[in-house]
Amino acid sequence: MVGLHKSEFQNPVINWIDTRLPLFTMMTKEYGVFPTPKNFNYFWNFGALAMINLMIMIATGIFLAMNYNASTAGAFDSVERIVRDVNYGWLLRYVHMNGASMFFIVVYIHMFRGMYYGSYKKPRELLWMIGVVILLLMMATAFMGYVLPWGQMSYWGATVITNLFSAIPVVGEYIVTLLWGGFSVDNPTLNRFFSLHYLMPFVITGVVFLHVVALHITGSNNPLGIEPKSEQDTLPFHPYYTIKDSVGMCVYLLVFAVLVFFVPDYLGHSDNYIQANPLVTPTHIVPEWYFLPFYAILRSVPSKLGGVLMMFGAIAVLFVLPWLDTSPVRSAKFRPIYRQLMYVFVVDVVVLGYVGGKPPSGMNVVIGQVCTAYYFLHFLVILPILGKMEKPLPLPESISNPVLTMGGGPLPGAALAKPMEKI
Amino acid sequence: MSATAPTLPDGHAQDPGKRDFLKLVAGFSAVIGVGALAWPLIDSMNPSGDVLALSSVEFDLAPVAEGQGVTIVWRGKPIFVRHRTAAEIKTAESVKLSDLGDPAKDADRVKAGHSQWIVLVGICTHLGCVPLGNKPTDPRGDFGGWFCPCHGSQYDVSGRMRHGPAPANLPVPPYAFMTDSRIKIG
């Protein structure tokens, strides 16, 4: 469609721009008056929090890169110099370091929200799949970022993870050599990891944009898992959810600040403060906490290729989740058995994370194997069957119904009147 | 804002001014918050502790013969140290201030009692090139000092700008004589 946009903005400057490039109209449509289900709980904060977290990571990362030296000779020292000598370098580094952990906390809760309330179901399958792509990109970015300080954990983490590809039959060894740019993790590896670590966040930003576009086509899911039926069921995004997101943001920043200012190294590993030594592997090597469940799955399978396939399979299975879950009902609120099993699944993943951080011996191996089996059982067996067997509770007629009858008292006048005005 | 103040369910009159006030306070708080967050990022670009720690150098003048100039490095910048001859000092001191584009007495540009030594930041005040003239084989321009190859600026033996486009004299860095033959720059 060619032609100038008919802008409704009164301000002549904004109107002039908006007529030619309707950014202001778009922002108002997507973030101002955007009709949003009115029954969100605080789980719906986590998308916005992830967006904020991404911006924090990019901002601190750009300034860290100004002082970072991507060479095996200089990387470790340059990171120490950032912490000791660069103005506020300690702050930038600890925000970036703990920001990665915060990012995964936020995203894992965001994913739990999606699974608990069935947000991946029709018509939001693609939205969910784009989300899984973001998760994969985040994992790659986090892994490469962890290599950059060039400590012992960095080096051996890089060695172990890149060696995963050697499990691929026939071409595996060639792929690993290609990844390394040599015959071991060395200067070329560090250089390319830095380059890619800088690139990936912008790729993530692009995919996040697609995620948001897809979200704004289907509209948000909500705790009841039923579509809004009328204007009565929605609220304009601003100010109702900008404010609600801000409340969540304050709590998020509090947790973030406690990590950064009081226990900046709590989630890290002390061995990473020893410079990389290609001749000595630390006695107990573990990945960052957010990879532990997947690491446990890798270790549970007594076969090199099998372990790698299971580990990647643990994420690949998320891609097809919308088709594995056969229940037509979205929200766990109305699925009594699924709701219980969702908690069992969370415990399963937490236990996987726990054994992933322990030495692989004795009971840890058995527990890891049982939990790995259950992880796949949940997705591949329980969800398809449960959807057909389970008798869901009756769904409410509309979002407004339970909000008005079960909620605490009537809504303030403005909340009800607002959606009517903006037709 | 409307002139009539509607009444809220709890019986209080709605005060439009209160809402404006809250909006302004919230807006300003957000601006201050973003500024406070931005400052560590911006300040991290300033010279860091290890850079500031390298901000002075010492230099032994003894090996520099009369008429000779040397270039040393201070804070990553070239510093010209020149041992001037008696004739050069005389020329520099006898220039009329009215002939200068950026008037400065030669006596003010050297340390008292050490007028044979001129110490300058060797960066042309035009656009930052390093002028020629420290080596005897270099072109020194018409005033016997330094000549900038980039845009033709000329300086005299006191480092004063004598011919444009440079707008000012070569700056004298902060330095002091520790002994008669040793200086500390910075």
Side-chain angles (χ1 to χ4, degrees), chain A residues 59-60 63 66-67 81 84-89 91-92, chain B residues 39-52:
Chain A
T60 50
F63 286 88
M66 291 179 190
N67 285 297
R81 182 184 157 264
R84 294 166 196 216
D85 287 335
V86 172
N87 304 320
Y88 292 105
L91 182 62
L92 297 186
Chain B
W39 174 245
L41 298 178
I42 296 164
D43 192 37
S44 77
M45 294 172 76
N46 275 323
S48 58
D50 59 323
V51 171
L52 293 174

Side-chain angles (χ1 to χ4, degrees), chain A residues 197-219:
Chain A
H197 182 71
Y198 205 116
L199 167 73
M200 295 287 241
F202 299 99
V203 177
I204 292 178
T205 306
V207 183
V208 165
F209 183 76
L210 296 179
H211 194 63
V212 172
V213 171
L215 172 71
H216 282 222
I217 296 291
T218 61

Side-chain angles (χ1 to χ4, degrees), chain A residues 171-194:
Chain A
V171 291
E173 292 294 331
Y174 297 102
I175 291 177
V176 173
T177 308
L178 181 80
L179 289 175
W180 287 342
F183 302 102
S184 65
V185 174
D186 208 337
N187 207 44
T189 326
L190 180 59
N191 267 305
R192 67 191 55 183
F193 276 20
F194 180 52

Side-chain angles (χ1 to χ4, degrees), chain A residues 41-59:
Chain A
N41 56 33
Y42 278 104
F43 274 117
W44 266 261
N45 275 177
F46 286 85
L49 293 181
M51 184 90 95
I52 291 164
N53 205 315
L54 177 63
M55 292 192 298
I56 291 174
M57 295 305 275
I58 291 180

Side-chain angles (χ1 to χ4, degrees), chain A residues 370-419:
Chain A
V370 170
C371 290
T372 301
Y374 185 79
Y375 182 96
F376 287 99
L377 196 72
H378 175 88
F379 286 110
L380 299 176
V381 179
I382 293 177
L383 288 187
I385 296 176
L386 186 65
K388 300 214 157 66
M389 311 275 288
E390 187 181 34
K391 188 174 181 298
L393 301 178
L395 294 176
E397 218 161 276
S398 72
I399 291 174
S400 288
N401 262 348
V403 166
L404 289 178
T405 52
M406 305 192 317
L411 290 172
L416 283 174
K418 202 74 180 185

